[in-house]
């Protein structure tokens, strides 16, 4: 038996799906992808993703690994068009490529980055793709608070409770707001992220932008390590996974 490991790079609009990970009684991206590849490769395919996105969250750059048995490498790597033909338009395969047998899409990732989009005027073309917020926000104050994140490592206050992670420590290397297309986009990059972390950070930074809390309050929330002190999670529709880095892949 000749088993070989591959990475698959995909992008998807998560509006119609209950997140990435296969689960009972809910349509997910992983379920559809595994089904399409199993048909094309004529053998059961089970992917393991670089992470798990929640219902309604999008991905511009997502990786998963899978194994194929007794099939020529070129038939696997050249199967992009065939797999895409079986997937709904909201899910697109970008690339399939071979990796070393121990490569792991989740554990080998050295950095991940997300963007969160919000806009301030009703726009039908941003439905389910950006958060409509009608409040005025102080961009300068939010960027000062975002910069504070780089000085901490324990982000328990932004983590969903009762998760099975061994630590709530993360190293954030960039966090910044920029203006874009009648709205704002928040970019954040770290070595790892906790469940619901970006949406909780956004909800808290918006409170800074509304002048409901100040910079000292924001620091106190982080130092409290208490999720109930942070802001509410913002809607999933504005969140995009945009980058996953690996030591053996070049951009």
């Amino acid at each position: 038996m000749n088993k070989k490991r591959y990475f698959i790079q995909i992008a998807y609009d998560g509006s119609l799906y209950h997140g990435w990970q296969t689960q009972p009684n809910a349509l997910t991206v992983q379920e559809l992808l595994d089904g399409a590849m199993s048909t094309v490769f004529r053998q059961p395919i089970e992917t393991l993703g670089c992470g798990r996105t929640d219902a309604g969250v999008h991905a511009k750059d997502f990786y998963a690994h899978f194994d194929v048995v007794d099939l020529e490498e070129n038939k696997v790597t050249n199967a992009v068009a065939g797999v895409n033909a079986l997937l709904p338009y909201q899910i697109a395969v970008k690339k399939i490529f071979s990796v070393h047998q121990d490569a792991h899409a989740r554990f080998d990732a050295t950095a991940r980055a997300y963007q969160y989009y919000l806009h301030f005027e009703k726009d039908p073309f941003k439905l389910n793709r950006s958060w409509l917020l009608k409040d005025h926000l102080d961009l300068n104050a939010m960027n000062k608070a975002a910069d504070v994140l780089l000085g901490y490592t324990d982000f328990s206050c932004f983590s969903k409770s009762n998760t099975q992670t061994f630590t709530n420590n993360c190293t954030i290397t960039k966090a910044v707001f920029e203006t874009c297309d009648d709205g704002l986009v928040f970019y954040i990059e770290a070595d790892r992220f906790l469940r619901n972390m970006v949406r909780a950070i956004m909800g808290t930074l918006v409170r800074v932008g509304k002048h409901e809390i100040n910079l000292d309050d924001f620091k106190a929330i982080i130092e409290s390590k208490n999720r109930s002190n942070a802001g509410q999670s913002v809607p999933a529709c504005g969140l995009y996974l945009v980058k996953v880095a690996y030591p053996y892949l070049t951009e």
Side-chain angles (χ1 to χ4, degrees), residues 183-243:
L184 297 175
V185 57
F186 176 57
Y187 179 92
I188 183 167
E189 183 169 340
D191 61 339
R192 62 189 292 266
F193 286 92
L194 308 173
R195 287 289 307 278
N196 210 236
M197 178 175 167
V198 180
R199 291 165 63 190
I201 287 174
M202 269 296 301
T204 312
L205 289 172
V206 165
R207 293 192 65 199
V208 174
K210 292 180 182 180
H211 293 163
E212 294 177 355
I213 60 174
N214 59 32
L215 201 59
D216 288 336
D217 296 328
F218 186 72
K219 293 177 182 178
I221 288 170
I222 298 174
E223 291 167 7
S224 76
K225 303 179 183 180
N226 189 332
R227 178 65 185 92
S228 63
N229 292 332
Q232 292 185 338
S233 292
V234 293
C237 61
L239 185 60
Y240 296 74
L241 176 63
V242 297
K243 173 184 175 182

Side-chain angles (χ1 to χ4, degrees), residues 2 5 13 40 85 92 104 118 122 134 199 242:
N2 180 24
R5 178 152 296 184
D13 177 341
V40 170
H104 198 288
L118 56 88
K122 185 177 180 181
K134 297 183 179 180
R199 291 165 63 190
V242 297

